[in-house]
Amino acid sequence: MIYHVTRLAAAVAVTVTASASLAQDLPTVRAAVLEIGTVNWELATIAENGLDEKHGFVLDVQGYADNGATRVAVEGGEADMAVADWIWVARQRAAGKNYVVVPYSKAVGSLVVPEGSNAETLQDLVGGSIGIAGGPLDKSWLILRAYASQEYGLDLAAETEQVYGAPPLIFKSGLGGDYAGAINFWHFLAKMKAGGMRELISVETAAIELGLDPETPLLGYYFKDEFLNEHPDLAQSFYEASRDAKDLLASDPEAWEAIRPMMNASTDAQFELLKADWLAGTPERGPVDPEGASAFLALMNDLGGSELVGEATSVPDGLFAEVE
């Protein structure tokens, strides 16, 4: 098997090479990933423990500088797989791109408040500022807005000031006390909590109150139809390797030590929270529930409209791979 991430520091790169004869007998999955993306933790675990060969493929991971580049790599045939939230993939499929999703993670964010804040609910943020990573169509922000409207009759966008920024900026400014509350990607939130910030409400809690299924995974590995058609068992095989990696990380502390260098955890507190929150993002085994996905997409369409979902006003046929 091969695991290589170009342009990464040596401490982050992981290379494992098996015999050439075995590799020639197995299909290769070329994975395009963000160089510092958290998906590398799972893929490195798959490679280091031979879980790809166990399930009948060779994993070849290639790092890119940004998510846009990973998407171009898949579209242009330089890679066979990348990671994205399935709302984006649904938008692409509705526009004619034949992408198929294999479930990966249900990890979602939360809203955190500074250490010492007296806020108890979203109502207490009225008049303050909220730092948001991901922009005005960030899905965590949209869900929290819908929850605030349902629960308190509160237009959170109108009653607060939103400050949009890249995840590292929201992380630094949030820890500095610049916002009444902050929404960030899950791994930055783990570090923010390790730094003393407090979770006011999780997106999962808000989603449940909105009637959404919290087990609907937001993130997935996506492949082209034709690639999976060439290798009919590969979607299930890749899913099995992914589940084996999750089981190993849930049960063996040494598996975490093996990937700790790529986790960018500067303290033990960050390391432990990153572990806990990553594991909390493990969805239940099995296919994506179509009703749960439909309800989630309908909410995203209501809140974000075509700017978010494009032509995908309903879940496109064939979007999710049939895994068990």
Side-chain angles (χ1 to χ4, degrees):
M1 85 201 74
I2 306 164
Y3 186 96
H4 66 87
V5 181
T6 58
R7 300 182 300 280
L8 277 175
V12 176
V14 179
T15 303
V16 184
T17 306
S19 69
S21 59
L22 177 59
Q24 290 173 356
D25 293 335
L26 301 176
T28 296
V29 176
R30 299 169 299 164
V33 300
L34 186 65
E35 288 178 340
I36 56 172
T38 57
V39 69
N40 288 295
W41 308 354
E42 176 163 297
L43 296 180
T45 301
I46 289 173
E48 286 188 323
N49 293 279
L51 301 177
D52 53 348
E53 291 176 7
K54 173 185 175 182
H55 292 291
F57 64 94
V58 174
L59 183 61
D60 178 1
V61 180
Q62 306 167 24
Y64 291 83
D66 56 59
N67 282 321
T70 69
R71 295 169 180 179
V72 170
V74 174
E75 184 173 0
E78 297 300 316
D80 306 307
M81 177 273 284
V83 173
D85 73 76
W86 67 261
I87 298 294
W88 178 86
V89 184
R91 177 175 182 151
Q92 306 310 306
R93 190 169 179 91
K97 296 179 182 177
N98 53 348
Y99 295 157
V100 179
V101 176
V102 173
Y104 162 52
S105 175
K106 64 175 185 176
V108 291
S110 62
L111 188 146
V112 294
V113 296
E115 189 174 13
S117 169
N118 294 321
E120 295 296 334
T121 73
L122 292 175
Q123 289 177 300
D124 297 323
L125 303 183
V126 170
S129 63
I130 300 177
I132 303 170
L137 294 178
D138 175 75
K139 296 167 187 65
S140 295
W141 168 237
L142 293 179
I143 289 172
L144 291 173
R145 281 182 56 194
Y147 169 78
S149 177
Q150 173 183 287
E151 195 73 8
Y152 309 114
L154 171 64
D155 185 341
L156 200 59
E159 298 294 337
T160 64
E161 176 190 5
Q162 294 87 57
V163 180
Y164 301 107
L169 175 62
I170 300 300
F171 166 72
K172 183 177 180 180
S173 300
L175 286 175
D178 291 357
Y179 315 123
I183 299 168
N184 211 332
F185 298 168
W186 77 265
H187 51 296
F188 282 99
L189 285 167
K191 294 181 179 181
M192 293 168 88
K193 289 184 288 185
M197 298 190 76
R198 171 173 58 87
E199 184 175 279
L200 184 70
I201 182 171
S202 72
V203 174
E204 181 177 4
T205 296
I208 291 171
E209 292 300 319
L210 290 168
L212 300 177
D213 181 359
E215 288 301 320
T216 300
L218 178 60
L219 299 174
Y221 298 104
Y222 72 92
F223 300 78
K224 288 182 177 178
D225 263 335
E226 54 261 37
F227 181 73
L228 294 181
N229 289 338
E230 290 172 6
H231 310 287
D233 299 323
L234 188 58
Q236 185 67 42
S237 297
F238 196 93
Y239 183 67
E240 294 292 348
S242 171
R243 296 302 305 194
D244 280 359
K246 288 177 170 66
D247 290 344
L248 184 61
L249 289 167
S251 61
D252 185 359
E254 290 302 314
W256 283 105
E257 291 298 331
I259 60 174
R260 183 166 181 167
M262 66 174 60
M263 292 174 63
N264 195 28
S266 58
T267 66
D268 287 343
Q270 286 187 5
F271 178 59
E272 293 302 327
L273 271 169
L274 285 167
K275 286 169 54 179
D277 286 0
W278 189 91
L279 290 169
T282 301
E284 292 181 352
R285 186 183 177 98
V288 175
D289 175 54
E291 292 184 4
S294 294
F296 188 85
L297 179 59
L299 180 63
M300 293 297 99
N301 188 29
D302 287 345
L303 297 173
S306 60
E307 190 176 356
L308 178 61
V309 305
E311 300 174 26
T313 54
S314 60
V315 177
D317 290 340
L319 176 65
F320 296 110
E322 296 181 3
V323 295
E324 299 177 353

